[in-house]
């Protein structure tokens, strides 16, 4: 019987339980499918596609060293399964369990129904510390169980199939498909090789300044781990990273222990938030607090200026321009941009969330949509995270180094004026698009007044 390994958001060979399980079989078919319905759903962009393409090329090369290759097709899953069945009859499929939004969850249900109807077995293995069918309270125990599992080794060899079905190609076929959207450039290269390099350089050098620069926009890109995209697209596993961190912590050599511990707890959060979308695959559309429905609206002009980084607020615009260039921001910058758009401009969190999902390369539905709702004040019972963008600018970029790196018009502006250049008699930058204090205070009052209303049924 042929064993298919379906690679989804897990483009790696180390610690890949489905690949490991299939490696004992006589005929193995490594498969990756670009499903237009998933790529057209609105939350993914060209930026992600570029990363996925690089990840697949890298995976293909690794599989070739094992004597096999990655078989790629641009199609929906059911026609793909039909082709496999027409070629071999019954087959077995292995994959990681995917924790995504409703459309991927529904796709998986259709795949399961098809496999059952054709008496083909599909084994889905947890790839994070998340178990299907459990609830928040059970997480810690499963996380421990997951982390205790072995790191599955890279198979030495992988026997290929005797008959390759029609309609599959190598990873070069990926160049023939273009997903919608405009954001394309991407400084981080996708793939397991790049992920391992990134992890090693973090442990060897960046841990030294990790905590110090975590919230500092001018330095966090060169001090943070920058592993989120590799975790999201599965170029490296949580488990192998956790074990590597433990090895560094246990090492007799002098290591920045606080940084390593902090990193370790963040990696743990990754699973915690992935679990949120497993439980609520509709978190990109259904507000956790329905009392806020209808409060936020769409102001096309404001939204366009926010997206382009031309609001007239230097720090907000610098963050946005940096995001366009680097596909990444640190946590505080992401939170501030979300809060500015959803709480100050009162733009709909779903529109803002979709645009930001397309923009950062590490878009992970569970983390992303939980944070978008959280930063829009839809989760905490009493608190709304409203950031004062001028205070944030002065606190995290006191000399304006970051602003100047992104906004050439302000290159000659002094650090005393760079945060609020509109106060100068001759403002060298775009005029602010809103009267900041007035709108912020008005909307703060509006949003907090809703928190005081009697709680209506909150969507689960
Ligand atoms: C509005 C908003 C949206 C976000 N969307 C995403 C997203 O789509 N994907 C994503 O990976 N992170 C997201 N984050 C969390 C965080 O900003 C990024 O994980 C972090 O900036 C990635 O940089 P790093 O890899 O250098 O992280 P590090 O600080 O080095 O952390 C190591 C790893 O821990 C995990 N991690 C760190 N912070 C968090 C967190 N708050 N919640 C869950 N896991 C975390 C990530 O996997 C990260 O790679 C979001 C935050 C906000 C406020």
């Amino acid at each position: 019987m042929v064993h298919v390994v379906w690679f989804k958001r897990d483009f790696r060979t180390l610690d890949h339980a489905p690949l490991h399980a299939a490696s004992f079989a006589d005929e193995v078919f490594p498969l990756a499918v670009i499903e237009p319905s998933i790529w057209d759903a609105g939350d993914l962009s060209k930026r992600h596609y570029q990363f996925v393409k690089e990840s697949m090329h890298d995976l293909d090369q690794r599989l070739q060293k094992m004597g096999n290759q990655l078989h790629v097709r641009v199609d929906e899953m059911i026609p793909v399964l039909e082709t496999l069945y027409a070629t071999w009859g019954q087959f077995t499929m292995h994959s990681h369990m995917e924790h995504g939004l409703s459309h991927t969850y529904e796709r998986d249900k259709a795949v399961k129904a098809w496999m059952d109807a054709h008496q083909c077995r599909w084994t889905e293995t947890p790839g994070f510390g998340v178990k299907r069918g459990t609830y928040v309270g059970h997480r810690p125990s499963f996380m421990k169980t997951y982390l205790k599992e072995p790191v599955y080794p890279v198979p030495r060899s992988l026997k290929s199939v005797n008959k390759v079905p029609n309609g599959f190609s190598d990873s070069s076929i990926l160049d023939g498909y273009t997903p919608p959207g405009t954001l394309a450039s991407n400084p981080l290269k996708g793939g397991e090789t790049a992920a391992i390099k990134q992890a090693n350089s973090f442990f060897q050098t960046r841990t030294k300044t990790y905590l110090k620069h975590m919230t500092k926009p001018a330095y966090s890109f060169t001090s943070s781990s920058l592993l989120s995209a590799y975790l999201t697209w599965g170029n490296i596993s949580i488990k192998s990273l956790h074990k590597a961190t433990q090895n560094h912590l246990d090492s007799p050599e002098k290591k920045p222990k606080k940084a390593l511990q902090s990193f370790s707890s963040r990696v743990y959060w990754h699973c915690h938030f992935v679990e949120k979308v497993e439980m609520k695959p509709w978190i990109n559309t259904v507000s956790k607090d329905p009392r806020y429905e209808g409060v936020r609206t769409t102001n096309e002009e404001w939204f366009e200026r926010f997206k382009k980084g031309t609001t007239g607020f230097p720090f907000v615009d610098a963050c946005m321009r940096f995001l366009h260039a680097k596909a990444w921001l640190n946590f505080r910058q992401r939170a501030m941009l979300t809060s500015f758009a959803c709480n100050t401009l009162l733009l709909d969190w779903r529109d803002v969330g979709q645009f930001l999902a397309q923009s950062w390369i590490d878009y992970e539905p569970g983390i992303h949509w939980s944070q978008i709702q959280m930063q829009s004040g839809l989760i905490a019972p009493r608190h709304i995270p409203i950031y004062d963008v001028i205070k944030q600018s002065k606190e995290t970029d006191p000399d304006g180094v970051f602003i100047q790196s992104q906004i050439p018009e302000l290159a000659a502006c002094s650090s005393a004026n760079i945060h609020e250049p509109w106060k100068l008699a001759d403002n060298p930058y775009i005029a602010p698009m809103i009267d900041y204090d007035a709108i912020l205070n008005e909307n703060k009052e509006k949003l907090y007044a809703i928190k005081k209303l009697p709680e209506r049924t909150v969507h689960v």
Side-chain angles (χ1 to χ4, degrees), residues 131-140 275 279:
K131 201 174 178 182
R132 187 146 286 170
T134 58
Y135 300 97
V136 175
H138 298 151
R139 176 182 52 85
E275 186 173 62
M279 292 190 300

Side-chain angles (χ1 to χ4, degrees), residues 2-3 15 34 43 47 59 65 117 175 275 301 322 385 425:
V2 173
H3 286 242
D15 198 30
I34 294 290
D43 50 348
R47 179 162 264 183
L59 177 61
K65 284 189 192 146
D175 294 329
E275 186 173 62
E301 192 210 324
F322 187 88

Side-chain angles (χ1 to χ4, degrees), residues 1 79 106 119 153 184 300 388:
M1 169 132 12
E106 290 303 324
Q119 294 175 327
E300 289 298 342
D388 179 332

Side-chain angles (χ1 to χ4, degrees), residues 256-325:
K257 292 214 160 145
K258 277 197 180 148
L260 289 166
Q261 279 156 354
S262 166
F263 173 74
S264 185
S265 62
R266 271 155 223 282
V267 170
Y268 194 89
W269 293 348
H270 191 109
C271 294
H272 170 76
F273 282 104
V274 166
E275 186 173 62
K276 304 267 181 211
V277 76
E278 171 60 27
M279 292 190 300
K280 299 170 191 172
W282 52 85
I283 52 169
N284 61 326
T285 52
V286 180
S287 170
K288 178 91 166 80
D289 190 337
R291 293 173 302 177
Y292 285 91
E293 285 300 355
V295 171
R296 296 182 170 90
T297 52
T298 301
N299 180 324
E300 289 298 342
E301 192 210 324
W302 285 3
F303 194 24
E304 276 312 302
R305 289 185 67 170
F306 171 73
K307 290 199 275 192
K308 284 191 184 129
T310 54
T311 66
F313 296 97
F315 191 54
V316 172
D317 293 349
C319 288
M320 189 54 82
R321 292 178 195 195
F322 187 88
L323 177 58
H324 286 306

Side-chain angles (χ1 to χ4, degrees), residues 210 224-228 231 266 270 328 334 362 364 368:
Y210 181 61
S224 205
S225 75
L226 293 192
L227 283 164
S228 48
L231 285 169
R266 271 155 223 282
H270 191 109
W328 182 92
R334 294 184 199 212
D362 56 24
E364 176 69 65
H368 180 74

Side-chain angles (χ1 to χ4, degrees), residues 114-189:
W114 189 97
M115 295 292 281
D116 287 350
H118 293 78
Q119 294 175 327
C120 293
R121 202 157 68 94
W122 179 22
T123 312
E124 289 180 279
T125 317
F128 290 102
V130 178
K131 201 174 178 182
R132 187 146 286 170
T134 58
Y135 300 97
V136 175
H138 298 151
R139 176 182 52 85
S141 55
F142 186 70
M143 186 71 185
K144 278 187 194 145
T145 312
Y146 164 73
L147 291 178
K148 272 189 199 144
E149 277 175 26
V151 167
Y152 295 98
V154 177
R156 288 204 181 161
S157 65
L158 203 62
K159 291 182 191 140
S160 46
V161 287
N162 294 327
K163 188 167 184 209
V164 175
N166 288 333
F168 292 86
S169 174
D170 61 18
S171 54
S172 63
I173 195 179
L174 296 165
D175 294 329
Y177 177 74
T178 314
T182 47
L183 297 166
S185 83
N186 217 355
L188 287 181
K189 191 174 158 63

